[in-house]
Amino acid sequence: MLLRRFTDFILQSRLQAMGAAFAISLIPLVGSSLSVLVAGLVTLRKGAYDGTLVLCAGLAPYVMSYLIASPESSQAQMFFIATTAVVVINVFTWLYAIVLRQYGNWNLVIEIAMFSGIVMVAVVHLFYPDIQTWWSSLVTGYMNKTLNQLAIDGAVISDDTRASLMASTAQFAHYATGMLVASLLFNAVLQLVLARWWQAVIFNPGGLRKELHQIRLSYLSAVFFVAAIGLAVIGNAFGSDVLPVVIAAFCAAGLSLIHRMLLPNKNSWFWLTLIYLGLIFLSQVGIVAVSILGLFDSLFDFRKQFGRLNNS
């Protein structure tokens, strides 16, 4: 089995793992995501020190690229932003891998990801109190340019359509920072899931599914969720911006519950397909609905209730 051979190769020595991570990171587009899987697996199997060395090797090409790119050009600035995002995501993946190795608890991983996201949003609002105004100006300017270009190209855009688009743009500004942070942390956790899947395939087949079916966040997390909703309702800027981060965490918990509840059902694949299609096409409504399910699970522990029904 090719995957088994490669796993044995990178776990045989630090230098081999570092060399593999460095070489893989040079692959265009997907190199960063693949190299961090090597770092994640090494961290899960051998610990933080070995994982740190492999992570640094995988990030080395991106760090060196900072020195090569010319900061004056707009393309270089975009490259700098993208590279920074890659580095941040991979570092968080490594940090969460350390937590998972130490405690073996996905609940804790998700909660730490959520609280780290809350802290990141809080820091942004602390140092840039007008961040939502900045987002509004940026996105509104981009939307105006797009609509004007469409008009030049001959597209007919009614005043009502333009007003609706601008209103949606203004609404987006209230959640933009939180959505950016949530997307970064989502990718970090997703990469950790893939690294754990790799570990499970080789050393513990079926183990990952059992772990992911048990995600249930604590009462403290539920309190933060309710508080964020309350702050958003009264128009608090920080509360609105932190909502995407909290919703993403509880959506993961809600999906875990759904998978666990449908496990005994012979047609579970059909219902799960419908649910994920709903998340794709209903987008915000579907994600919020699943996150509310995760919130109620934190409060009432549906798995325990479901177990009692099965035993009665």
Side-chain angles (χ1 to χ4, degrees):
M1 185 180 179
L2 184 60
L3 183 60
R4 178 74 201 208
R5 291 179 181 176
F6 181 66
T7 304
D8 292 339
F9 173 78
I10 62 174
L11 293 180
Q12 192 172 17
S13 74
R14 293 170 183 168
L15 286 177
Q16 289 176 190
M18 292 170 65
F22 181 84
I24 291 172
S25 67
L26 299 176
I27 301 175
L29 300 179
V30 298
S32 64
S33 297
L34 295 178
S35 67
V36 79
L37 296 185
V38 177
L41 177 66
V42 171
T43 302
L44 291 171
R45 292 298 297 177
K46 292 192 169 186
Y49 181 70
D50 287 54
T52 302
L53 295 177
V54 178
L55 176 71
C56 292
L59 292 179
Y62 298 93
V63 175
M64 290 187 295
S65 66
Y66 288 131
L67 305 176
I68 300 174
S70 172
E72 289 80 13
S73 65
S74 59
Q75 291 182 343
Q77 292 175 359
M78 292 300 297
F79 177 77
F80 177 83
I81 294 172
T83 302
T84 302
V86 168
V87 172
V88 170
I89 291 171
N90 287 3
V91 169
F92 273 112
T93 299
W94 164 74
L95 289 172
Y96 299 153
I98 294 174
V99 174
L100 187 59
R101 171 183 166 81
Q102 184 69 28
Y103 300 99
N105 189 329
W106 279 102
N107 298 341
L108 186 60
V109 171
I110 299 298
E111 289 183 328
I112 288 177
M114 184 185 76
F115 286 118
S116 59
I118 292 173
V119 170
M120 291 167 69
V121 174
V123 169
V124 170
H125 277 261
L126 179 63
F127 287 97
Y128 303 97
D130 296 328
I131 186 64
Q132 291 185 344
T133 303
W134 180 83
W135 275 114
S136 181
S137 176
L138 178 68
V139 181
T140 300
Y142 176 79
M143 182 62 70
N144 277 324
K145 289 181 180 178
T146 302
L147 293 176
N148 291 337
Q149 185 61 48
L150 289 173
I152 293 173
D153 294 340
V156 179
I157 304 173
S158 66
D159 292 339
D160 290 341
T161 301
R162 179 182 286 270
S164 176
L165 289 172
M166 297 308 294
S168 299
T169 299
Q171 190 68 19
F172 168 79
H174 291 86
Y175 309 98
T177 302
M179 290 177 67
L180 177 61
V181 170
S183 65
L184 291 175
L185 298 179
F186 170 80
N187 280 281
V189 173
L190 178 61
Q191 289 178 163
L192 177 59
V193 170
L194 293 175
R196 188 65 158 186
W197 168 84
W198 183 359
Q199 181 189 28
V201 166
I202 302 299
F203 302 103
N204 183 27
L208 177 62
R209 184 175 68 174
K210 294 178 181 178
E211 293 176 7
L212 295 182
H213 284 178
Q214 300 303 317
I215 297 176
R216 174 176 172 265
L217 303 188
S218 65
Y219 288 109
L220 178 62
S221 297
V223 169
F224 272 87
F225 192 2
V226 174
I229 293 174
L231 290 174
V233 168
I234 64 175
N236 180 270
F238 171 72
S240 299
D241 235 351
V242 86
L243 261 184
V245 175
V246 183
I247 286 175
F250 276 88
C251 184
L255 287 173
S256 172
L257 176 65
I258 290 172
H259 278 265
R260 176 63 186 87
M261 300 294 279
L262 290 177
L263 186 61
N265 194 311
K266 294 181 180 180
N267 298 319
S268 60
W269 64 270
F270 173 75
W271 296 111
L272 288 173
T273 300
L274 287 182
I275 289 168
Y276 279 100
L277 286 175
L279 287 176
I280 293 172
F281 291 105
L282 295 178
S283 186
Q284 296 177 357
V285 175
I287 292 173
V288 171
V290 174
S291 68
I292 294 297
L293 178 62
L295 172 64
F296 282 120
D297 185 39
S298 293
L299 300 175
F300 302 109
D301 195 354
F302 293 133
R303 291 176 184 82
K304 182 181 292 186
Q305 304 298 332
F306 184 67
R308 288 174 180 172
L309 289 176
N310 287 339
N311 294 330
S312 61

